[in-house]
Amino acid sequence: LAKTTQPISMDSYEGQEVNITCSHNNIATNDYITWYQQFPSQGPRFIIQGYKTKVTNEVASLFIPADRKSSTLSLPRVSLSDTAVYYCLVGAYYGGSQGNLIFGKGTKLSVKP
Amino acid sequence: GAVVSQHPSRVICKSGTSVKIECRSLDFQATTMFWYRQFPKQSLMLMATSNEGSKATYEQGVEKDKFLINHASLTLSTLTVTSAHPEDSSFYICSARASGGVTDTQYFGPGTRLTVL
């Protein structure tokens, strides 16, 4: 299972763009990259998933370079409600190695007014 | 879509009693469900993988006789904490992976806060 490394914490202000980078040097060919958001006393919420290049949805963008050894979650114009812990995980195809998602420590994002 | 529910959301019990937690996928079928435990200020720790119609696979260090898992249908998995003790107090979270999915996208329930007195 590919191990991920993220900054423990980040601070930002309302309205700014926040980029959280995750390193996964041992990512396997079949691994996808998935980001989750977790508020205190709640289950993680799926944000975005990608394999390579760039993926964008209504809440975030995910940038993955060609070597896939890292990925960057981009949150545009954050608000106070974006204060949460963000987890980067890598996991295999369902039909592949059946790798389960292993949570690291995540990045605690604090958005200030 | 992809909604997972858990019941109860919060439970307080006496030491020595058993507690059952339900995890349901509301709008999709899940051949695989996962159970996690999260202690305060820590990350989620995978406890076991629950496959519909077969025995659960437990992570190293997790007692299968203490944490009984049943995945009787494609939309329901249950975790029973038997003979609970104060050290079992934690936040228990389930997740479900859609059947036929290509990637390992898991959708999580809201969690169950267990307090053992």
Side-chain angles (χ1 to χ4, degrees):
Chain A
L1 296 173
K3 181 180 178 180
T4 60
T5 303
Q6 309 172 229
I8 295 297
S9 64
M10 292 182 69
D11 291 332
S12 182
Y13 290 94
E14 280 191 293
Q16 289 186 332
E17 178 185 77
V18 171
N19 296 307
I20 306 175
T21 298
C22 176
S23 297
H24 28 79
N25 292 317
N26 297 322
I27 190 169
T29 302
N30 286 346
D31 284 340
Y32 270 67
I33 300 157
T34 311
W35 285 80
Y36 290 89
Q37 174 193 55
Q38 187 182 28
F39 297 111
S41 296
Q42 294 186 29
R45 182 176 76 103
F46 173 84
I47 300 175
I48 198 166
Q49 184 179 73
Y51 184 79
K52 60 181 179 180
T53 63
K54 176 184 176 181
V55 180
T56 298
N57 61 22
E58 62 275 9
V59 298
S61 295
L62 179 60
F63 299 91
I64 306 169
D67 65 6
R68 304 199 328 120
K69 294 184 182 298
S70 67
S71 60
T72 299
L73 174 72
S74 180
L75 304 172
R77 297 181 299 281
V78 294
S79 63
L80 296 177
S81 62
D82 292 317
T83 294
V85 177
Y86 292 82
Y87 293 98
C88 160
L89 299 100
V90 294
Y93 280 105
Y94 174 72
S97 63
Q98 300 283 320
N100 296 324
L101 296 178
I102 302 298
F103 281 79
K105 296 184 184 299
T107 298
K108 185 174 182 180
L109 173 65
S110 297
V111 180
K112 303 174 182 178
Chain B
V3 178
V4 177
S5 70
Q6 279 184 243
H7 178 79
S9 59
R10 184 181 297 267
V11 57
I12 301 172
C13 69
K14 293 182 179 180
S15 184
T17 61
S18 295
V19 174
K20 179 184 284 188
I21 303 170
E22 292 186 348
C23 176
R24 294 181 185 273
S25 56
L26 298 184
D27 51 2
F28 66 100
Q29 293 184 328
T31 52
T32 305
M33 289 184 172
F34 304 85
W35 288 95
Y36 294 81
R37 182 166 53 181
Q38 186 175 34
F39 292 107
K41 298 188 184 301
Q42 294 188 21
S43 186
L44 283 77
M45 292 176 53
L46 179 65
M47 298 176 65
T49 302
S50 167
N51 293 296
E52 187 266 337
S54 62
K55 291 183 178 180
T57 302
Y58 292 81
E59 295 299 301
Q60 189 173 9
V62 178
E63 300 175 56
K64 63 180 181 179
D65 295 330
K66 181 169 183 64
F67 299 99
L68 301 179
I69 292 173
N70 183 278
H71 192 164
S73 77
L74 287 174
T75 59
L76 173 64
S77 176
T78 60
L79 168 68
T80 301
V81 183
T82 62
S83 186
H85 289 94
E87 58 265 29
D88 297 323
S89 297
S90 187
F91 192 53
Y92 291 86
I93 309 170
C94 73
S95 71
R97 182 168 64 196
S99 60
V102 175
T103 64
D104 197 17
T105 303
Q106 295 178 30
Y107 297 93
F108 289 81
T112 296
R113 175 76 60 192
L114 170 63
T115 302
V116 185
L117 303 176

